[in-house]
Each structure stands twice: as C-alpha cells, then as structure tokens.
Amino acid sequence: MGDKAVITCALNGVLTDPKQHNVPVTPEQMAREAKAAFNAGASIMHVHLRQQEPNKGHLPSWDINISKEIQQAIREACPGVIINHTTGTSGPKYQGALDCVRETKPEIAACNAGSLNYLKVKSDNTWAWPPMMFDNAVEKVQDYLDVMKEAGTIPEFECFDVGIVRCVGMYRQTGMYSGPLEYNFVMGVASGMPADPELLPILLKLKLPEAHWQVTAIGRAEIWPLHQRCADLGGHLRTGLEDTFYLADGTKVTSNGQLIEAIAACARRAGREIASPAETRQIFGTRH
C-alpha cells in the first residue's frame, strides 16, 4: 500500500467569491461538491468555513456550529471520508480556529508552519492587494499543535517556502511535536515557492525521511506538470477549487469533481492506484 496515492480535495478556499466562481459555501453545497470529489477518488476533504448570511459567502467564519454542520453534511454524503480543517489566520486573533479544532475534532487540520510575506503584483506593476504578513510565529504554531494533540487531530504542516520545510524538522527536534508527520508543499504563491517541478527533489531532501508529503499547486494550467511530477515521485496529491479553476488544456472547470478526475489520472499515469478512505486512514494513522 506504500505506493497508493491519497487524494485531497480543497473544496472552496478562504476568500474566493461565490458570485464570481462556482465555489461551495453552504453545508448542502459543500456536501454536493464533496460527493463529486469523493466519487472521483478523493478520500480527504479540506474545508474552509464561510459566513452563511446572504451576500456574505465570500467572507471567512470560525463559527463552530457552521463547522459541525458542514462536516456532518460531508460525512453523510461521503461514507468514511476524512476531514482536513483549515486553521489559517493572520494577526493575533486566532482563538476561533483553535476552538473549531478543539470542538469538532477533525482527523487532520492544517498547521501553517512558518511566516510569509504574502504578496502579488499585477501586470500594471501595482500590488494585487495591500502587502500582508501571513504570520505563523513559533508560539502560534505551538498553540495549534497543543490543541490538535488534545483533539486527536493530525497536523498537516503547510510549507510555503523552503526554509519553512526545514522548520518542521526543528519542531520535531525540540519536542514541539512527536506524532505522525505530514508535509504539504504549497507551491505557486507569488511570494513563496514557485510551482516548479524541478524544486521537488530539493524539498524531498529537506523533509524528514519518514514523513508523508503532498503538493498544493496554486495557479492555472501551468500547475499540472507539477502534479504529475509529484505523482511520479511518490507524493500524495491535492487539488480543488481553492487551488485552481483550470485543467491542463486551459479548460475552466465548474466543479471539484473535474479537478479530482484529472489529478487521479496523474496518479494512474505514474502507475499508482488511488487510496480508499480506509487505506488513507491506515497510511496517515488517522482515527477510524
């Protein structure tokens, strides 16, 4: 089973406007999109929470009841599915994210493993948004790790840059974390690691040898060679409407299911089978 590919679907992301793109917001929409992804081979659903009031669906939420409703709807639609809960926040107020993990106890949760100047420049050489710091100080990481340990949740260490990959080893070395290790190489953010397949062998040298790993590739059609290289090198796979709206031929998708079908094809081209939810739990050591 060591060669089986686990597929994660990132269903909706943090700020994508449902008026502009076909991203799910309500529990019913999340369940429907999860079902399409599940049927195409995804056994893990990465979820972000959105405000449920009219015209507020583009705004994030840390409402525990919304989290519970969304998780329940997804689990009912996808028997055996594994939930991967977002935790990403900028600034000093992140208690809501901690509370969601503590109260809902997802099998996996994101643990952003280091800070990044989160930047992008438009074609007219102006900032795409006001320059911001995605701050993940060691104390903040420790708070997340403590809550995840309490909840029985496995952290997925999100690494936006090469140095952040190295930090994860230090968290292990200093005793901040001692459980199963899972790296997520986030590639394609303009001020982070590029979505370059040639970078993967370097990242694999820097991660701890026993750790599982996957790639989050952010961009358009240009990200698909990176997904294929990830599959070829034995990594686990992730895509979804949080990360892209485009297939390799430039087609714009309308559902997560289309993206999961495409990434499952990457695994099969690499000669790998798709892990079932039960096999995924065994591979990652999550709760049954």
Side-chain angles (χ1 to χ4, degrees):
M1 195 160 65
D3 202 38
K4 293 210 170 182
V6 172
I7 297 179
T8 297
C9 181
L11 288 166
N12 60 345
V14 61
L15 286 172
T16 314
D17 192 340
K19 291 184 177 179
Q20 294 180 325
H21 301 284
N22 195 33
V23 293
V25 170
T26 67
E28 295 77 17
Q29 292 167 348
M30 293 287 280
R32 185 175 65 245
E33 280 292 301
K35 181 67 171 173
F38 190 76
N39 289 345
S43 57
I44 300 176
M45 302 299 159
H46 177 62
V47 300
H48 286 254
L49 312 177
R50 305 293 192 87
Q51 295 184 24
Q52 300 293 301
E53 295 78 13
N55 300 315
K56 295 289 185 71
H58 61 295
L59 297 173
S61 170
W62 295 107
D63 187 309
I64 292 167
N65 289 325
I66 292 173
S67 180
K68 288 180 176 177
E69 289 174 22
I70 285 173
Q71 291 190 51
Q72 181 179 349
I74 291 173
R75 291 187 196 283
E76 288 175 358
C78 309
V81 76
I82 296 155
I83 299 294
N84 177 328
H85 204 292
T86 184
T87 63
T89 56
S90 293
K93 297 181 180 179
Y94 53 94
Q95 190 62 47
L98 296 175
D99 291 344
C100 275
V101 173
R102 181 184 291 109
E103 296 299 323
T104 72
K105 298 178 171 55
E107 292 95 334
I108 301 171
C111 184
N112 294 283
S115 299
L116 183 77
N117 281 319
Y118 211 87
L119 312 174
K120 187 176 182 179
V121 176
K122 295 189 291 188
S123 57
D124 64 0
N125 297 325
T126 62
W127 294 116
W129 54 74
M132 62 170 283
M133 166 65 78
F134 185 27
D135 57 311
N136 295 288
V138 171
E139 296 81 8
K140 185 176 182 180
V141 173
Q142 184 70 72
D143 287 342
Y144 280 121
L145 291 174
D146 290 346
V147 164
M148 291 179 200
K149 183 176 182 179
E150 177 187 335
T153 297
I154 291 177
E156 178 186 270
F157 288 101
E158 316 290 320
C159 300
F160 289 80
D161 219 338
V162 175
I164 299 176
V165 177
R166 303 176 77 187
C167 290
V168 175
M170 298 182 200
Y171 301 154
R172 171 78 95 198
Q173 193 175 354
T174 57
M176 286 176 61
Y177 178 70
S178 59
L181 267 180
E182 185 183 339
Y183 290 77
N184 182 8
F185 303 138
V186 183
M187 304 172 74
V189 173
S191 54
M193 292 188 286
D196 184 347
E198 294 184 19
L199 189 54
L200 278 182
I202 296 170
L203 299 176
L204 295 183
K205 284 197 294 185
L206 296 176
K207 79 171 186 68
L208 292 179
E210 73 275 18
H212 298 292
W213 64 281
Q214 68 176 18
V215 166
T216 291
I218 297 171
R220 295 194 173 205
E222 77 279 357
I223 64 176
W224 288 94
L226 174 58
H227 284 312
Q228 189 60 58
R229 185 79 170 126
C230 175
D232 292 343
L233 290 173
H236 298 297
L237 301 166
R238 165 180 147 156
T239 191
L241 294 176
E242 176 175 4
D243 303 339
T244 191
F245 299 108
Y246 296 93
L247 299 174
D249 64 1
T251 301
K252 188 172 182 179
V253 302
T254 57
S255 169
N256 282 286
Q258 296 162 278
L259 293 169
I260 298 303
E261 287 173 6
I263 210 164
C266 290
R268 295 187 180 103
R269 280 193 294 271
R272 300 172 65 193
E273 295 181 18
I274 309 303
S276 69
E279 290 167 336
T280 296
R281 290 176 188 278
Q282 192 172 340
I283 291 167
F284 285 170
T286 59
R287 299 189 310 273
H288 289 266

